[in-house]
Amino acid sequence: MPIPSQTQPRELVGRSPGQLMWRRFKRDRAGVVSAYVVAFFFLVALAAPLISAAYGKSPTATYGLDEGGLLNEFGYPVAPNGGISGRFWFGLEPTMGRDVLTQLVYGIRTSLLIAAAATVLCVLTGVLVGVTAGYLGGRTDYFLGRFIDLLLAFPAQLSFIAFTPVVYSLFVSPEKQTPTYLRVITLILVLWALGWMGLARLLRGQVLSLREREFVEAARVTGASPWRIITKELLPNLWTPILVQSTLMLPTLVTAEAGLSFIGVGIIEPTPDWGRMFAAGAAYYESDITYIFFPGLAMIIFVVAFNLLGDSVRDAFDPRTKR
Amino acid sequence: MSPTSRFRKDRARLTTVALAAGAVVLSACSSGGGGGGDGGKSQGPGEDKTTSANYSIGTKADSTGPAPEVPGAKKGGTVGVLQRDAFNHLDPGQIYYIDVLTNQLLYNRTLTSYKIDDKGRVKVVGDLATDAGTASDGGKTWTFTLKDGLKFEDGSPITAKDVRWGIERLYASYQSDGPLYIPQWLSGDGNDFRKALPDGPYDGKHLPPSVLDTPDDKTIVFHFRQPHADAPFATAMPNVAPVKAEKDTKQKYDNAPFSSGPYKVGDYKVGKSLTLVRNEHWDAKTDPIRHQYADKFDISFGHQYADSTRRFLADQGSDKNTLSFSNAVAPEMTEKVLNQPDTKARRLLEVQPYVDYISFNTDRLKDVRVRKALALAMPNGQILQQNGGATAGVIATNFLSPAMDGYRPSDPFGKKAKPAGDPEKAKELLKEAGKLGQEIVYAYANTDVQQKVSVVVTQALERAGFKVQKKEVDSNTWRTAIADVKNKFDIYRTSWGADWPVSSTVVPPLYDGRQIADGAQNYGHLDNPEVNADIDRITAIPDVKRAAPEWQKLADRILTDDVPGVPVFYNRQFSLWGSGLGGIKYHPVYGSVDPTGVYVK
C-alpha cells in the first residue's frame, strides 16, 4: 500500500555567500551589539554639532575662565567629581574650564574622521598593491615586495614628527597660521603612506595561493582577462581578510592619531582631539581623575567593540573558525 | 640668570593610549572624585610677600665666620637630593643655571657671597674676602683682602694668586657658559675681552697689574674700565672663585672641581649622580654662611617633578632625609600637597627673581597704541593659571620682579584689578588707532602648557578686536627662533631672571637698543635713544641703593610709554622636602632651596 507522503519536500532556496554571511552574522549577538556600538560612535561623530547645539555648549568656550566659581585658584573644578553637574554633564576641563562632553564629542569626530579616511585609503592601496603583486608575480612582485619592506622599515612616528614641519613650511606663509584642514590632510596622508603595507603583504600571500587553484586556471583557459580574474575570481575570495583587516585597522589608526596628538605633533589646540584629552588626563589624574574617565571609557568601548565586530565578521564569513 | 625654562615640560613619551586610558579608568572607578572643596583658601599658598625685599651690603663683622648656628642642628647623616635635570656643569667658571648655582654653594667659595638671615633678608658679605670690597677711583677700582686660614681640600692655603687664576681662566675660549661680568668689565664687552688673554693663564701669561693686580698673597685689586657700583654682587657669581693652577685640568675640571667649601666631590657619575662628602680642611671659622652638618649629599638626577613630589609626599624611609634644590611641586599635585597637613612645616612658597613676559616686536608693531592695546588685553591671570596657578606665580604688574631691590608695585595697565585683561579699553584704543582687526602673528613653543596658553591669549586678543595668526614653533628651536632679530613674529613669550637683585642686570640687557643682536635678550627690539641715555645715566650712579629706585622708574617709563612687551607673571618656587630634614631656607637670589644650613634630624 502506498504510503501517502506526509510532507512536501521543503523548497530549496539558493543563497549567495554574502546572504549566508549576513544570516550568520545576525545570529551572533556580540557582533550585532558591537555593530550598534560602532554605529553609535560614528553617529555621535557625525552629529557632533547637533549634539552640542541641543546641549547648549560649545567645545571651545572656556566656561571656567569666563565665569567665576567654576574653577578654584589652582584651576581645578570646584564642584566634586570633576565639576559634574546638571549643567556640565561630564564635568569641566581643569585649568581651561571647557565642557568635557562637547570636547569629547568633537574630539571623537576629529579622530574618527581622520582614522576613517586613512583606513579607506590604506585598504584601497593595500588591495591594489597586494593583489597586483600576488597575481602578476615575478619581477613586479619582487620590486613591490622590496618597496613594502622599505616602507615597513620606516619608523612611522619619527617620520611624522620630522615630516610635518617641512610640509607646513612649504605650504604656509611664515606669517600665517597653519590651517586646520592642512593639518588634517597631512595626518591622513602620513597615516596612509605608512599604514597600508600590512594588508598588501597579507593579500599578496592569499593571492599567491589562490591563483594556482583550478577555478582560476579554468578562467584563464577560457580566456578571461586578468582584470576579470582579479575582480570576479580572486576578490570575492579575499573579502574575509580585507574586512577583518580593515575593522582592525580603524581602531589602530584611531589610537595612532590619538598617540600623535598625545606627543603634541598631531592636531593642536584649540581643535578638540580625543588623543590630547588623554595627554591632559594623564597630567591631571592626581588631582582630578574624573577628567580622564569619560574619554578613557569611550576609547575602551570603541576599541573593544570594533575588535569584536571584526571577529564576528570573520566568523560569519568563515564558520569553520567559529569558536 | 639667563632665560629660564622652568615650565618647559619634557615631551611625554608615547604610550599605547588605549591601554593607559584603560588603567586610569579602572582606577577612576574606585577613587571617584576630583578636586573639590571651597578652593582651599584657608590652606592656600602663603601670603603675598611682594614687598620690596631687603637687600644690603654687609659689614666686616657680617663677613666674619663662623655662621650663626642653626637652632637644633645636629651633625651627621646623609642628605638625599632629587633633581630633574642632570647638572650640566660642576666647573664654577661655567655655572649659570639655578640647579648648579645652588649646588656650587656646597663646594665652591667666592670672593663675596649672600648671607641670608632667618627672615629672608639678604646681605652681600665677604666670603673669601674679609668684607664686601672697597671701592676707590670713583668705583673703578675694587680691592678685596682675603681672610686668614682659607684652605683647599688638600689643605694647601688659598691665596690671591688662586683667585686670579680662577678669573684668568675665564678668558680661555672653552669657558663659554658662565656669566662674564668681571672679565667684560676688566677687558671689554661682548667677546672682545678674550683678546686680552687669548688662552687664559695656561701658557704662563697673565693680565697686567693695571687690570688685575695681586700685590701680595692676601690682596686682589680689580681695575674696571667703567665705574661699577654693584661689583660686590658680581664677585658673588660662582666664577669669581679660587682655582688651584696645578689642579686646573681645563675641560676636565668640569667633572672634578677642587673644593674650597665645606664639601668636596666624592663620586660623580656624569648624568646620573653626584656624591659630595665632607671637606676636612674647610674651617668653619672663616665662613660666614656655610655649615657642615650633614656627612654627605647624595644627589641623583632624572626625577620628574611628579616623581619627586610623590616621594616627598609619601615621606617614607630614606626619602625622609631628601630635598631638591630646584624641583618644584608638580602643578597638578599642588592641591594634594596643600591639603596634606603634615607638609605645612616642610614646604616653602616664595617669589623668584624670574619674570615671564610677552614681548612685542616693535620692528613690526610700530604703532604704540597697538602695543598698548595688546598689553591691556593680555589675560595675565588666565596665562598664569595654565602655568600652574597660584603656586606657580603671582600676576605681574610691571617689568621688575618683587625680588629686586627697589621694587615698587606700580601697575600701569591695571592687571591686579583685571587679571583677565581689559578688552573694552583695548578695543577703544585700537579703534582710535584705526587698526581694528589688526593681524597679530603670535608665536609659541609647541608644548602642552604653551598650547593652552595660546588658546587663552588668542581668545582674549580676539575679544579686543585683534585677528590672531598662531604659529607653533618646535620647542627645541624656540629660543633661537625668537632671538632672531629678523623674526616674522609680532608677539612671543620670553622670560628673564636677574643675576643679582639689582636691576642693572635686568633693564640694560632687555631694553638697551644698542644690545639688539641675534641671540641677545632685547626681544622687543626697543631702541629709544632717551631710554639708552637714561640707562647710561643710572649705570653711572655710584651707589647701588640710590640707583635701585631709578631703575624702577625707568622700567615703569618703558612699560607705559614704549610698551615693548607686557609682564605676565612673577615666577614662584614651591618646594617640598622630607620630614627628617631641618635648617632649610629659601635662597632669594637664586630662587631655590638653600642647602648650606641643612641638617638631618
Side-chain angles (χ1 to χ4, degrees), chain A residues 62 65-66 72-74 76-77 81 95 157 176-177 183 264 268-269 278 283-284 286-287 289 292 300, chain B residues 17 21 24 32-33 35 39 310 332 335-336 338 385-386 439 444 451-452 459 463 469-472:
Chain A
T62 51
L65 292 178
D66 300 342
N72 67 19
E73 60 186 316
F74 310 106
Y76 288 94
N81 296 312
T95 76
Q157 303 282 354
K176 295 282 176 219
Q177 134 178 358
R183 289 185 200 281
I268 64 167
E269 296 276 10
F278 286 111
Y284 299 142
E286 297 270 357
S287 294
I289 199 151
I292 202 170
I300 292 173
Chain B
V17 177
V24 174
R310 225 169 270 140
E332 61 272 14
E335 264 194 294
K336 228 176 178 176
L338 292 175
Q385 184 151 85
Q386 305 315 315
E439 208 160 82
Y444 64 95
Q451 271 197 33
K452 285 196 258 160
Q459 185 173 293
R463 278 177 192 163
Q469 299 286 346
K470 287 194 296 171
K471 294 299 288 182
E472 84 277 13

Side-chain angles (χ1 to χ4, degrees), chain A residues 18 58 173 180 255 303:
Chain A
S58 144
S173 139
T180 306
T255 44
V303 173

